[in-house]
Amino acid sequence: MTGMAVMPAHTDLVPDFRKGALLCGEIQALISVMRQNAKWALVPGYGYGEEDVPEDPLLEDFKSLRRKVWTWKDWSSRDPKTYIFPFLEVIRSVETSGPITGMALATICRVLSQGFFSIDCTGAAEAMHSIVEAVTYCRFEATDPDADEVVLSRILQALLACLKCPAGPLLSDDAVCNVIQACFRIGHQSGKEGELLQQLTRQTMHEMVRVIFHRLPTMSPMTAEMLQAAPSPVKDTGKASSTTAAEPETPVASTSESASEKESGGEKNTVTDSGGAIGDASENEHDGVPYGLPSVLEVFSFLISLVTAEEGRESEDLWVFGLALLNTAMEEGGEAFAMHPPLLAVVRDDLMRCMLQAGTSTSLSVLSYLCALFLNLYLSLRIHLKYQLETFGRGVVIPIGDGRNVAYDQQRVALEAIVDLCRQPTFMCDMYINYDCSLEHSNFFEDICTLLSKNAFPVNCPLSAVHLLSLEGLLAVVHILASRCNSAASAPVLEDPVDPTEYSN
C-alpha cells in the first residue's frame, strides 16, 4: 500500500513555514475581529460596490503582510519590524476597541514567546524598542470593565514577554524602567483595578524582577559615564504612587464619558496610557545598548520606595509587596550585588533604612518578609554588611524574639528566623569572631544564646511553640560547635568562619 510522502522531520524550511502559518492565522483572526466593528464593516450597496469599498490603512497593511509572508525563505535575516509593524499600529491606534487591541497584544506575545527573532537577528534591538514603546503607551476604546481588564492583562503578558524572550537583553535601560513602572501602574494606579488584575500585576512584577536580577552576575561594572547616562529615576514616582490610589491625570482605564462629549464628536471614551509618567524614554532614540546596571539600580531603588510609604492599611499592603519583590531580587542577584559598588551602597543605606522602618510594623506578614530578607542578606552579603546586620539583628529581631511588648505570633516568627540562622554552619562562629571578639561591637553571640536560653523553658506558663523553638535553636548551636570540634582532627567538613578582617561595612 502506497502511503502519503512524509516530509523529513528536520529541514531548514519547517521553522519558517511554521512561523508563516502562525502569523497568517493571527492575521486572519485579527481581521475577523476588526470586521465585526462598525468602522471596518462597510456594507456594499450603500454608495459602494463590492470592488469599490475603500480599505482602511490598517487592513491594507495586514493584507500586504499576508501576501509577503509566504515569500520569505530565511526569517533569521528578516527585520522583525516588517512583520510586527501592523500589529503595533493596531495597539497604538486610539480608534481600535478593546477586543481588537487585545488580539494584537496576544499576537505580539506569541511572536516573542515563539522565538521569531533572536538576539543576533538584524534589527532586533529596534524591534524590541518599538514593541515596548507601543505596549507601554497602548491606547484603546473602552467597552466594559471586564473586557478592559482582559486587555490590561494582555498588556501585562506582553510586557513580561519582552523581558523573557530571547531578544529581551537588547532592551535599553529606559525601556526596562518603563516596563516595570507601566506594570505597576496597571495594578495600582488606574483607580479601577480589581483584585484579580492587581494580583496578576504583582505576579507579573515578580517574574520581571526575577528575569532582570538573574542577569546581574553577567553585567559589567558601572562606570562614571554610565552614572551620568542613567535612566530617569522611578523612585519618586513609585513613592508617590504608594501613597495615592491613582493618578487622575494618567489613568490606566476609564470607562466614563459625558453625554456632551459623545454628542460633540470629541475623543473616544477611553484611552489606556499605562506609561504616562514613567519617564522620557520614548522621546529618545534607541541606541542599541543592552540594559545593564543603571536600570537594575533604578528598579531596585523603586522596589525600596514601595516600603517607605506612610503607614496605613493600603501602605502596609504595599510594604508586603515591596518586601516580597526585594526578596526575589536578593534571591536572584545574591553575591553579585557585591560586584557593583553603587548597588551595594543602596543595600547598605536605603535598603537597611527601610527595613528598620518596616520593623516597627505590627503586621505579621511584614515581619515574616523582613526576617526572610535578613536571612538572604546574611547568606549573600554578610562580609559587606557588618554594622547593618548588627543593627537590624539587635534592634528588631532579638527584641521581638524576646517578646517585648509584641504579640505571641510576632515573637514566634522572630524566633523561627533566629533558629534558621543558627542552623547555618558558620553563623554562630561568625557572630562570635566578628562581634563578641571586637571591642567596637556588641556581644551578638551572647545575646542570641541568652535569648534562646531564657525562652527555652516555661516559667509559670504552659509549654508552647516558643519554648520548643528556643530549645531547637540551642540544640542547633551546640550541634554546630560540636561538629566543628570533632572535625578539627580530621578533614574539614565545615566551612571556616569569616575572618574578622574580611567583614567590612
Side-chain angles (χ1 to χ4, degrees):
M1 180 178 179
T2 303
M4 182 181 296
V6 180
M7 189 175 180
H10 300 283
T11 65
D12 295 335
L13 296 178
V14 171
D16 292 343
F17 273 113
R18 180 173 177 271
K19 293 175 183 178
L22 188 149
L23 203 58
C24 283
E26 295 292 331
I27 293 173
Q28 181 62 39
L30 185 56
I31 291 179
S32 299
V33 176
M34 293 176 68
R35 288 296 189 188
Q36 298 175 20
N37 189 284
K39 178 178 174 59
W40 293 280
L42 294 177
V43 180
Y46 292 90
Y48 296 106
E50 182 73 30
E51 67 281 354
D52 299 326
V53 176
E55 285 289 3
D56 186 87
L58 290 178
L59 290 178
E60 282 294 336
D61 290 339
F62 283 118
K63 289 184 176 181
S64 175
L65 175 61
R66 194 173 184 180
R67 288 191 295 266
K68 295 177 182 178
V69 162
W70 297 110
T71 65
W72 296 341
K73 302 300 181 183
D74 185 11
W75 284 66
S76 61
S77 62
R78 183 68 52 183
D79 190 337
K81 289 185 295 184
T82 58
Y83 52 84
I84 65 173
F85 176 78
F87 298 98
L88 298 184
E89 285 298 299
V90 171
I91 295 173
R92 293 190 187 102
S93 176
V94 70
E95 297 178 348
T96 55
S97 62
I100 298 174
T101 304
M103 184 72 69
L105 288 165
T107 300
I108 294 297
C109 286
R110 294 199 67 181
V111 168
L112 294 174
S113 60
Q114 294 285 339
F116 268 58
F117 58 94
S118 64
I119 195 171
D120 300 322
C121 184
T122 303
E126 291 76 9
M128 291 300 301
H129 177 69
S130 299
I131 292 174
V132 169
E133 184 180 6
V135 176
T136 302
Y137 297 93
C138 176
R139 303 163 71 88
F140 64 92
E141 295 179 358
T143 51
D144 61 83
D146 293 336
D148 292 341
E149 283 198 355
V150 173
V151 180
L152 294 176
S153 66
R154 293 283 177 83
I155 294 176
L156 294 175
Q157 294 171 4
L159 293 175
L160 178 59
C162 288
L163 288 174
K164 297 183 69 175
C165 71
L170 293 177
L171 292 175
S172 64
D173 291 309
D174 287 321
V176 171
C177 293
N178 282 3
V179 166
I180 292 293
Q181 189 65 35
C183 185
F184 179 79
R185 282 183 175 276
I186 288 175
H188 299 84
Q189 287 192 320
S190 67
K192 299 179 182 297
E193 64 276 359
E195 181 66 22
L196 181 60
L197 182 61
Q198 187 178 83
Q199 293 302 320
L200 179 60
T201 299
R202 296 187 174 188
Q203 180 62 35
T204 303
M205 288 191 67
H206 273 284
E207 293 297 322
M208 290 179 174
V209 170
R210 196 176 302 277
V211 172
I212 293 172
F213 284 85
H214 184 73
R215 294 191 62 244
L216 186 59
T218 64
M219 293 181 181
S220 303
M222 200 170 187
T223 62
E225 291 77 9
M226 294 171 65
L227 282 172
Q228 295 178 356
S232 302
V234 296
K235 182 177 180 180
D236 294 339
T237 304
K239 186 178 296 186
S241 64
S242 62
T243 58
T244 57
E247 296 288 344
E249 64 273 15
T250 55
V252 171
S254 174
T255 57
S256 61
E257 182 187 30
S258 62
S260 60
E261 290 177 342
K262 294 181 180 180
E263 294 174 359
S264 62
E267 294 183 357
K268 297 297 178 180
N269 59 339
T270 291
V271 175
T272 296
D273 189 355
S274 57
I278 294 172
D280 299 330
S282 61
E283 300 176 1
N284 302 327
E285 293 184 1
H286 181 59
D287 53 9
V289 179
Y291 75 90
L293 191 59
S295 58
V296 173
L297 190 61
E298 294 301 333
V299 170
F300 194 70
S301 299
F302 170 71
L303 301 184
I304 293 175
S305 71
L306 298 179
V307 197
T308 58
E310 297 179 1
E311 294 189 16
R313 179 173 299 177
E314 294 182 357
S315 297
E316 183 179 291
D317 187 50
L318 273 180
W319 284 11
V320 174
F321 178 47
L323 289 170
L325 290 175
L326 287 169
N327 266 295
T328 300
M330 192 58 59
E331 291 169 359
E332 291 297 325
E335 294 84 354
F337 276 80
M339 298 167 53
H340 308 285
L343 194 56
L344 183 60
V346 174
V347 174
R348 285 174 172 171
D349 299 331
D350 298 343
L351 177 59
M352 297 307 300
R353 187 185 301 114
C354 88
M355 289 179 64
L356 290 172
Q357 175 186 344
T360 62
S361 172
T362 58
S363 170
L364 201 61
S365 298
V366 170
L367 180 59
S368 299
Y369 279 110
L370 281 174
C371 291
L373 186 56
F374 181 59
L375 176 61
N376 282 325
L377 289 173
Y378 168 77
L379 294 175
S380 303
L381 302 173
R382 60 182 181 273
I383 67 175
H384 304 283
L385 303 175
K386 184 174 184 179
Y387 290 96
Q388 290 81 0
L389 292 177
E390 178 188 19
T391 301
F392 186 81
R394 299 193 73 254
V396 177
V397 179
I398 290 181
I400 295 179
D402 195 26
R404 304 174 192 172
N405 302 320
V406 297
Y408 173 81
D409 289 336
Q410 289 180 283
Q411 182 184 15
R412 181 172 179 175
V413 170
L415 283 174
E416 289 174 346
I418 293 175
V419 172
D420 287 338
L421 289 168
C422 291
R423 290 195 181 102
Q424 307 306 313
T426 63
F427 177 74
M428 300 309 298
C429 294
D430 283 343
M431 297 302 102
Y432 183 76
I433 294 176
N434 293 282
Y435 296 102
D436 293 59
C437 294
S438 174
L439 297 178
E440 301 177 354
H441 297 275
S442 60
N443 297 328
F444 208 160
F445 174 85
E446 180 181 349
D447 291 342
I448 292 178
C449 292
T450 300
L451 171 65
L452 296 176
S453 301
K454 176 182 176 181
N455 293 324
F457 300 98
V459 178
N460 299 325
C461 62
L463 184 66
S464 64
V466 168
H467 305 118
L468 296 178
L469 280 172
S470 301
L471 182 59
E472 186 177 353
L474 284 175
L475 292 174
V477 172
V478 173
H479 173 72
I480 293 298
L481 296 178
S483 299
R484 299 192 66 88
C485 292
N486 294 334
S487 63
S490 59
V493 295
L494 295 175
E495 179 184 356
D496 290 333
V498 176
D499 186 84
T501 59
E502 296 184 13
Y503 259 39
S504 60
N505 189 45

